[in-house]
């Protein structure tokens, strides 16, 4: 599956993950850099690569993380050789629907940057509008500064960041935006800010402050998973819990996911939706087995179609 990267006029790198569109491959002068696996020096990379391999899809994201690793590593070699090294801000923007892996990817990036000494801690601070916006003048700036202070050495991940731009000029969300912009510049190498949210809403959000666009050199797009990818996510979740789907249950789940993606494409929550089905269905199976007094190993392992519980059903 081709995963195109587009360089916009504003200098942002636009990255599309799990894209279902096919494009004509273009010749590239860049070669993928993969560290030799027998080098102790690249142990950090191998650990992160193991985590990345557990993710369904996201081929472009995996490649880009390798490129970032290579860039940081080679910069250190250049510095050791007395060559000029330029520090680049690594603030990012994640655009996509809920359940497309944005928080998971942010955590992995934090771990990688900590192992490479780009971040001193690599921890992830998750926040939303209520964590930043106060109730009176000055309160918002203080709450935002406090969050940034907690994120120093790691990543501040703000989900549904576009909500900060709602409410007009008198809304305190604008104060939070202004405070973030200032600290992104003043402390740009002390923490990484990742703003996440729906694609269209994030585009509007960027237009609210002229300083925002230029401060996010990396913009990642997280398209929805395909039905087959969602099935793979579900099977991996079940495998981790030592469950399997019967043939009829697998068919029923696939048909449901196909239907729900078709009738509810905007609010569909992707991997999160599948996780909820799995968790509810496991409880449903437990109730069935308890009622039937059936505790055979195969029965304990298997989720049948009768066990599947879909939201609002």
């Amino acid at each position: 599956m081709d995963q195109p990267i587009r360089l916009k006029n504003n200098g942002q790198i636009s990255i599309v993950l799990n894209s279902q569109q096919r494009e004509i491959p273009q010749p590239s002068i860049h070669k993928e850099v993969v560290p030799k696996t027998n080098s102790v020096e690249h142990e950090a990379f191998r650990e992160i690569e193991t985590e990345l391999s557990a993710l369904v899809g996201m081929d472009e994201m995996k490649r880009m993380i390798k490129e970032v690793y290579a860039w940081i590593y080679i910069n250190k070699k250049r510095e050791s050789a007395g060559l000029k090294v330029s520090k680049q801000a690594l603030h990012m923007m994640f655009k996509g629907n809920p359940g497309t892996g944005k928080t998971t990817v942010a955590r992995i990036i934090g771990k990688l940057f900590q192992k490479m000494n780009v971040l001193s801690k690599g921890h992830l601070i998750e926040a939303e509008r209520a964590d930043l916006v106060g109730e009176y003048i000055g309160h918002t700036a203080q709450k935002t500064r406090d969050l940034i202070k907690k994120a120093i050495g790691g990543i501040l991940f703000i989900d549904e960041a576009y909500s900060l731009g709602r409410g007009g000029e008198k809304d305190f969300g604008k104060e939070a935006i202004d405070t973030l912009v200032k600290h992104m510049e003043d402390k740009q190498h002390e923490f990484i800010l990742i703003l996440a949210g729906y694609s269209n809403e994030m585009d509007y959000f960027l237009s609210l402050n002229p300083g925002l666009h230029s401060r996010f050199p990396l913009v990642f797009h997280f398209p929805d998973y395909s039905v087959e990818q969602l099935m793979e996510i579900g099977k991996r979740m079940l495998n981790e819990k030592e469950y399997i789907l019967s043939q009829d249950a697998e068919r029923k789940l696939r048909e449901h996911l196909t239907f729900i993606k078709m009738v509810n494409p905007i609010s569909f929550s992707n991997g999160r939706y599948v996780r909820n089905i799995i968790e509810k269905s496991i409880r449903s199976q437990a109730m069935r087995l308890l009622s039937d007094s059936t505790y055979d190993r195969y029965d304990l392992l298997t989720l049948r179609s009768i066990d599947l519980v879909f939201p609002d059903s």
Side-chain angles (χ1 to χ4, degrees), residues 144-197:
T144 304
R145 285 194 296 267
D146 289 344
L147 268 178
I148 293 172
K149 185 176 180 180
K150 291 179 182 178
I152 293 297
I155 292 174
L156 176 56
F157 181 89
I158 303 177
D159 201 9
E160 298 183 0
Y162 52 82
S163 64
L164 295 174
R166 292 176 175 169
E169 285 293 321
K170 295 183 179 180
D171 185 75
F172 292 128
K174 185 177 184 300
E175 188 178 355
I177 297 172
D178 294 340
T179 305
L180 286 170
V181 169
K182 182 180 187 304
H183 284 79
M184 286 172 69
E185 186 67 30
D186 296 346
K187 304 179 185 295
Q188 63 175 300
H189 302 302
E190 297 179 45
F191 82 108
I192 291 174
L193 176 64
I194 299 180
L195 301 185

Side-chain angles (χ1 to χ4, degrees), residues 36-243:
K36 294 180 179 179
T37 55
N38 61 352
S39 173
V40 176
E41 198 172 9
H42 298 297
E43 183 64 32
F45 176 81
R46 291 201 302 275
E47 290 178 14
I48 294 302
E49 194 171 35
T50 299
E51 289 197 49
L52 290 173
S53 66
L55 300 179
V56 174
M58 298 190 181
D59 294 336
E60 187 58 37
M61 173 62 78
K62 295 170 185 177
R63 188 182 71 80
M64 284 303 298
I65 290 178
K66 291 179 182 179
E67 286 191 6
V68 171
Y69 173 86
W71 175 73
I72 295 171
Y73 179 80
I74 294 303
N75 261 1
K76 289 183 178 181
K77 290 298 184 183
R78 285 175 59 85
E79 188 174 21
S80 298
L83 296 172
K84 188 178 294 186
V85 176
S86 60
K87 281 194 173 183
Q88 181 182 350
L90 293 170
H91 302 304
M92 306 175 190
M93 185 166 292
F94 290 179
K95 297 180 180 180
N97 289 331
T100 48
K102 297 187 292 296
T103 306
T104 299
V105 169
R107 287 197 182 99
I108 291 176
I109 289 174
K111 289 180 183 179
L112 176 62
F113 286 176
Q114 188 273 328
K115 291 176 183 295
M116 299 191 72
N117 296 318
V118 173
L119 294 172
S120 59
K121 299 178 182 177
H123 63 298
L124 184 73
I125 299 295
E126 297 183 56
E128 54 188 20
R129 177 186 165 90
D131 299 309
L132 290 94
V133 178
E135 300 176 356
Y136 50 84
I137 295 175
H139 189 207
T140 294
Q142 185 59 51
K143 289 183 72 173
T144 304
R145 285 194 296 267
D146 289 344
L147 268 178
I148 293 172
K149 185 176 180 180
K150 291 179 182 178
I152 293 297
I155 292 174
L156 176 56
F157 181 89
I158 303 177
D159 201 9
E160 298 183 0
Y162 52 82
S163 64
L164 295 174
R166 292 176 175 169
E169 285 293 321
K170 295 183 179 180
D171 185 75
F172 292 128
K174 185 177 184 300
E175 188 178 355
I177 297 172
D178 294 340
T179 305
L180 286 170
V181 169
K182 182 180 187 304
H183 284 79
M184 286 172 69
E185 186 67 30
D186 296 346
K187 304 179 185 295
Q188 63 175 300
H189 302 302
E190 297 179 45
F191 82 108
I192 291 174
L193 176 64
I194 299 180
L195 301 185
Y198 293 103
S199 295
N200 292 338
E201 284 84 349
M202 291 304 291
D203 288 338
Y204 171 73
F205 171 72
L206 285 175
S207 70
L208 298 177
N209 187 302
L212 282 175
H213 259 292
S214 61
R215 286 175 169 80
F216 290 96
L218 294 169
V219 178
F220 296 99
H221 298 262
F222 289 71
D224 293 339
Y225 290 107
S226 68
V227 170
E228 288 307 314
Q229 287 173 331
L230 290 171
M231 289 296 297
E232 178 62 25
I233 289 172
K235 288 178 181 178
R236 292 191 185 191
M237 290 177 181
L238 288 168
N239 185 59
E240 288 177 2
K241 298 175 183 291
E242 292 193 326
Y243 286 91

Side-chain angles (χ1 to χ4, degrees), residues 98-99 230 237 253 256-257 259-261 264 267-280 309-312:
L230 290 171
M237 290 177 181
L253 178 58
H256 175 77
L257 292 173
F259 172 76
I260 202 69
K261 275 178 63 67
N264 198 17
S267 58
F268 178 63
S269 58
N270 288 275
R272 193 177 308 162
Y273 187 87
V274 174
R275 183 182 299 111
N276 289 339
I277 291 176
I278 296 299
E279 290 175 352
K280 290 179 181 178
V309 179
F310 301 132
D312 301 321

